[in-house]
Amino acid sequence: MSSPKIGVVSCSGEGCVEGTLSRVATRLVLEGLRPDNTVTICLPLFLSGEKGERMFAKHFPTISVDGCEKKCAEKAIEKYSGKTARSIVVSDLLPEWGIKEPKSRRNLDENGLNTASRIADEIVVAIDDLLASGK
Amino acid sequence: MDLVEPIFIIPCSGIGKSFGTISREAMYQVVEELRKCWTDTLCLSLLVMGDEVTGHLVQSHRCIAVDGCPLECAKKNLELADANLAANFRVIDLLKEHRNLKPKSVTFLDEAGYELAKILAEKIASKVDELTRGETDS
């Protein structure tokens, strides 16, 4: 029997470092932390109207991971495929954790990677919670 | 040097395959190193979500789309936004020209991925030069 799948959708924003954090955190979950239970959706492809991506988000739970308060990933999913199961906003988490944003949006330094790892842990908590609740 | 209006380099934002990571890395090489004074970037998702400021920026400035795969999300969405699209590149085309380079990793590029990103960045930088030739001669 295949494992239950959850879509983790990152905003991927290139314009700000929080976008890099959201992207790297999402990849850490997909590749290392919960590879059997997660898939990702390419947000611009989803926004372009790709049917497979939109159908997935309609029928399976999704977790949006946004870099900034614009919440492109969350808004996109809710606009085209229904409410997200969980929403994570990096720019809300950093001040809550007392962490300054990394300087480079291109290459995360050690602190940036640690922050991405902490965000990935938040995503994992949301995944495990969804799996446990059977939603 | 005179101040110039930036050319926006907009990658596809894909995170599922290495192609998207290569397009993004090539963009950063151009925007942050090779043609720092001439170029900038913005979030494709923000544009596609209908952000007014972003929409205005792509209409009033020249843009270069850098797509990972043949679906061309960056190019198509720039066209839909009536952007001033000056050029476009595709990582998939570059792979055909450099079949010896086979990128595998997605989150952090491997050597082949960085090599492809470097080649792509140089092509984009050349296009920026072509587009801006003569613009600071005053």
Side-chain angles (χ1 to χ4, degrees), chain A:
Chain A
M1 200 176 84
S2 63
S3 308
K5 294 290 183 196
I6 292 169
V8 184
V9 188
S10 164
C11 77
S12 306
E14 282 77 20
C16 64
V17 70
E18 289 89 345
T20 303
L21 285 170
S22 71
R23 188 171 60 245
V24 172
T26 298
R27 290 296 321 176
L28 290 175
V29 173
L30 290 164
E31 282 183 12
L33 298 174
R34 292 293 180 276
D36 297 331
N37 295 110
T38 53
V39 293
T40 193
I41 290 171
C42 200
L43 190 59
L45 190 58
F46 176 88
L47 286 165
S48 299
E50 211 280 330
K51 285 181 185 166
E53 313 277 270
R54 287 191 181 177
M55 284 300 280
F56 177 88
K58 199 171 264 185
H59 296 293
F60 291 86
T62 51
I63 299 170
S64 58
V65 187
D66 279 299
C68 76
E69 77 291 346
K70 302 259 185 186
K71 296 184 185 176
C72 291
E74 183 186 344
K75 285 180 184 167
I77 291 168
E78 299 202 340
K79 186 174 179 184
Y80 297 110
S81 298
K83 196 161 169 51
T84 54
R86 295 285 189 281
S87 169
I88 289 169
V89 183
V90 172
S91 62
D92 289 345
L93 291 176
L94 300 189
E96 205 179 297
W97 292 342
I99 292 174
K100 280 188 180 171
E101 61 183 46
K103 285 179 185 152
S104 171
R105 58 189 178 176
R106 179 178 168 194
N107 294 314
L108 294 178
D109 57 14
E110 195 183 337
N111 286 336
L113 288 173
N114 288 337
T115 305
S117 180
R118 201 166 162 185
I119 297 162
D121 290 339
E122 287 285 315
I123 302 170
V124 166
V125 168
I127 291 168
D128 291 348
D129 186 37
L130 286 169
L131 292 173
S133 67
K135 285 179 184 170

Side-chain angles (χ1 to χ4, degrees), chain B residues 1-127:
Chain B
M1 194 173 83
D2 293 344
L3 284 175
V4 291
E5 290 291 332
I7 295 173
F8 285 102
I9 316 292
I10 300 164
C12 73
S13 297
I15 70 163
K17 298 185 186 78
S18 61
F19 304 156
T21 313
I22 292 167
S23 73
R24 194 159 34 243
E25 171 62 20
M27 174 277 291
Y28 281 135
Q29 285 188 24
V30 176
V31 169
E32 297 190 353
E33 288 175 20
L34 300 176
R35 298 297 180 271
K36 202 173 175 175
C37 300
W38 295 89
T39 57
D40 203 348
T41 191
L42 46 79
C43 295
L44 180 62
S45 300
L46 202 52
L47 172 72
V48 183
M49 283 304 290
D51 181 76
E52 277 185 30
V53 174
T54 310
H56 176 71
L57 284 171
V58 300
Q59 286 167 3
S60 57
H61 293 72
R62 287 167 294 183
C63 301
I64 297 177
V66 187
D67 279 297
C69 78
L71 295 170
E72 298 185 319
C73 289
K75 183 187 171 205
K76 285 178 183 167
N77 282 300
L78 282 164
E79 285 171 345
L80 279 172
D82 286 327
N84 183 358
L85 186 63
N88 71 292
F89 293 89
R90 303 193 315 176
V91 174
I92 196 87
D93 295 334
L94 202 66
L95 275 168
K96 286 175 192 162
E97 292 167 23
H98 300 273
R99 291 183 190 276
N100 58 320
L101 296 171
K102 298 186 190 330
K104 289 193 176 79
S105 61
V106 181
T107 312
F108 305 106
L109 288 177
D110 51 23
E111 206 175 319
Y114 271 115
E115 186 60 29
L116 282 165
K118 190 179 168 211
I119 296 165
L120 181 56
E122 282 162 2
K123 282 177 180 264
I124 300 168
S126 295
K127 178 55 76 174

